[in-house]
Amino acid sequence: MKINEKRLEERMNRINSIAVTAESGMMRLALTDADKEARDLIVSWLEEAGMEVKIDDMGSVYGILKGTNPDAKPICVGSHADTQPNGGKYDGLFGVMAGLEAIISIKESGKRVESSLILVDWTNEEGARFVPPMLASGVVSGKFDSQWVYDKEDVDGIRYEDELIRIGYKGQKENRLKGIKAYFEPHIEQGPVLDAEGKNFGVVTGALGITGLDVTIKGEANHAGTTPMSHRKDPAAAAAEAISAIRQNCIDFGDPAVLTVGVINARPASKNIVPGEVYFSVDLRYHTDEGMTELEEQTKQIIMEICSKYIVSVDIARYWRADPASFNESIISCVEDAARENNMNYIRIISGAGHDAVFINEVMPTGMLFVPSIKGMSHCPQEDTRWEDIVKGVEITADVLLKLDKADV
Ligand SMILES: [Zn+2]
């Protein structure tokens, strides 16, 4: 379905001109003045389109276009307008503006839509100001308690709830998203796959699960000069071999498995002491429950075997597990049909990143689409998507909403 490309461009540029860094990055951290300015604009556009505006107790903004059938469950579309510090111009905002422009274009086309169409802008998706990410969708999906979120503080000790009140976006609990037929989130890929494979569209089938491990290896701290190599119990040597072995194991496990060691610390951290203890983190991700458990077991086994070879002890604790997400099959079909009818060069793809859609998927039928990120860059000023891919993504968003209205989800 054709959309108003000029309006889309003007409105995106308007929001992306609010808080621009010296490197041309975006700086709309959640619940700051810049976030408020973006929200105010979105609300004004919703009102201009004759949509009813509601705010929930977490500050998420909803705009509702009434459907023709009061008994039909609503369909929700959207994403988040907050950014990382010095972030990109499309992460999050694309989904909000795609949803908004799609709903308005459907209204202007005069097409009969039975379901009410709801646009959502989720609060604090990025987790850049208030940790962890996806706080508002986490409350809606029952993952987080609202008081726990209210008490979250930024680095300056400023509370989430106080900022919500300050910018005038503390709404009511009864306005939270519920009872919908489908939630649909358009997003940029934030990875290199579509661009590298020359595809212009991604039908998202789910998201990788995440397992986080804390690995602590204990050996014997000793003098770096007087301790011969044969007499050492060196946790750094064990860690080095373990990290390289679990990485190779992940590669052998095959796509889409990924494994990251993001933190390494040695104690006592002196340049002339064989360390007594080494800590490293492991973040591993996979798209099936079974596979993720298997990869976790293999990873632990490899670490333990290497540690016993080095005569050091090891403690491995799991600090985090998020189950892999599989999106709703009917919604995936609607997205795939819309891609085919628009002659897109598409593939089915699994998201490696977390999104509000991953939380919402646990309680409501959910789906996503990806537009390509040039060179896979994201969370930085270089983040970019070809304009024709943005426009196509919005047109397909409108087509998906119309298909969902007719579909049995
Ligand atoms: Zn995002």
Side-chain angles (χ1 to χ4, degrees):
M1 201 187 105
K2 277 274 161 248
I3 52 114
N4 186 332
E5 187 180 331
K6 191 157 172 283
R7 176 171 58 200
L8 175 73
E9 189 172 18
E10 276 170 9
R11 289 180 169 181
M12 277 198 147
N13 288 344
R14 177 71 190 85
I15 290 188
N16 280 332
S17 68
I18 291 173
V20 185
T21 66
E23 300 100 286
S24 305
M26 299 300 128
M27 194 76 182
R28 292 191 308 275
L29 298 189
L31 308 183
T32 56
D33 290 347
D35 183 18
K36 174 186 161 46
E37 208 179 323
R39 287 157 176 267
D40 289 350
L41 281 169
I42 293 164
V43 167
S44 74
W45 295 329
L46 292 170
E47 286 170 344
E48 188 191 310
M51 295 164 76
E52 183 191 357
V53 177
K54 286 186 177 177
I55 315 290
D56 74 13
D57 54 337
M58 293 296 111
S60 296
V61 176
Y62 306 91
I64 304 149
L65 180 72
K66 277 257 172 301
T68 56
N69 179 359
D71 297 327
K73 286 181 173 179
I75 296 163
C76 181
V77 59
S79 190
H80 59 96
D82 70 323
T83 69
Q84 289 283 331
N86 205 23
K89 57 184 187 280
Y90 292 132
D91 176 12
L93 187 65
F94 166 66
V96 175
M97 299 312 291
L100 178 66
E101 183 53 44
I103 292 175
I104 295 173
S105 294
I106 289 170
K107 186 185 181 213
E108 289 172 349
S109 75
K111 283 191 166 54
R112 252 181 80 89
V113 181
E114 292 207 2
S115 289
S116 291
L117 299 178
I118 304 176
L119 185 274
V120 61
D121 168 18
W122 299 106
T123 303
N124 194 70
E125 190 276 344
E126 293 292 356
R129 183 174 181 203
F130 299 99
V131 183
M134 306 182 294
L135 283 177
S137 57
V139 169
V140 165
S141 65
K143 284 234 165 229
F144 303 140
D145 171 66
S146 56
Q147 191 58 48
W148 180 78
V149 173
Y150 279 161
D151 291 332
K152 288 282 157 202
E153 294 178 354
D154 70 5
V155 287
D156 299 317
I158 302 174
R159 290 176 69 246
Y160 183 107
E161 184 185 22
D162 294 342
E163 282 297 83
L164 209 51
I165 295 167
R166 184 186 69 82
I167 67 163
Y169 276 89
K170 189 182 175 193
Q172 286 77 43
K173 185 179 172 182
E174 61 262 29
N175 290 341
R176 286 184 196 169
L177 190 68
K178 57 180 173 297
I180 56 164
K181 183 179 187 181
Y183 171 65
F184 181 59
E185 182 163 347
H187 208 281
I188 59 166
E189 184 199 345
Q190 300 182 276
V193 177
L194 296 176
D195 190 43
E197 295 191 10
K199 306 290 178 185
N200 58 9
F201 191 80
V203 176
V204 188
T205 56
L208 300 184
I210 307 170
T211 297
L213 303 174
D214 284 321
V215 182
T216 309
I217 305 178
K218 285 189 173 135
E220 215 168 69
N222 214 333
H223 196 288
T226 61
T227 319
M229 297 306 275
S230 56
H231 284 70
R232 294 182 180 207
K233 291 176 181 164
D234 185 350
E241 188 169 324
I243 290 166
S244 124
I246 59 177
R247 178 183 179 276
Q248 187 57 51
N249 181 65
C250 177
I251 294 169
D252 297 341
F253 203 81
D255 282 339
V258 283
L259 181 146
T260 305
V261 174
V263 177
I264 309 175
N265 290 316
R267 268 195 295 225
S270 166
K271 287 179 183 170
N272 54 12
I273 297 178
V274 177
E277 187 179 305
V278 169
Y279 162 87
F280 64 91
S281 62
V282 177
D283 173 307
L284 61 88
R285 305 187 185 207
Y286 201 62
H287 68 299
T288 66
D289 255 318
E290 265 181 6
M292 192 163 72
T293 304
E294 196 184 331
L295 182 60
E296 179 185 355
E297 283 313 313
Q298 290 180 2
T299 300
K300 286 178 176 170
Q301 197 58 41
I302 291 166
I303 295 169
M304 288 188 296
E305 276 167 19
I306 289 170
C307 285
S308 76
K309 193 172 94 184
Y310 281 85
I311 322 169
V312 291
S313 67
V314 62
D315 177 69
I316 305 175
R318 186 204 283 160
Y319 68 87
W320 175 251
R321 183 180 162 106
D323 295 336
S326 296
F327 290 148
N328 180 281
E329 283 299 335
S330 309
I331 302 178
I332 294 171
S333 297
C334 287
V335 182
E336 191 153 24
D337 290 347
R340 204 178 297 116
E341 288 161 19
N342 280 276
N343 300 312
M344 302 305 283
N345 182 9
Y346 74 91
I347 48 167
R348 285 183 162 224
I349 188 168
I350 298 163
S351 174
H355 294 288
D356 292 307
V358 176
F359 276 173
I360 298 303
N361 180 58
E362 294 189 13
V363 286
M364 303 171 202
T366 294
M368 290 187 83
L369 70 75
F370 277 167
V371 293
S373 295
I374 297 171
K375 295 200 171 89
M377 305 286 280
S378 187
H379 285 181
C380 58
Q382 291 76 28
E383 177 186 287
D384 205 3
T385 296
R386 273 173 293 276
W387 181 249
E388 69 248 39
D389 293 340
I390 292 281
V391 173
K392 267 298 181 193
V394 180
E395 290 178 354
I396 292 173
T397 298
D399 292 345
V400 169
L401 294 180
L402 293 171
K403 283 181 187 299
L404 287 172
D405 186 51
K406 305 265 182 300
D408 284 323
V409 176

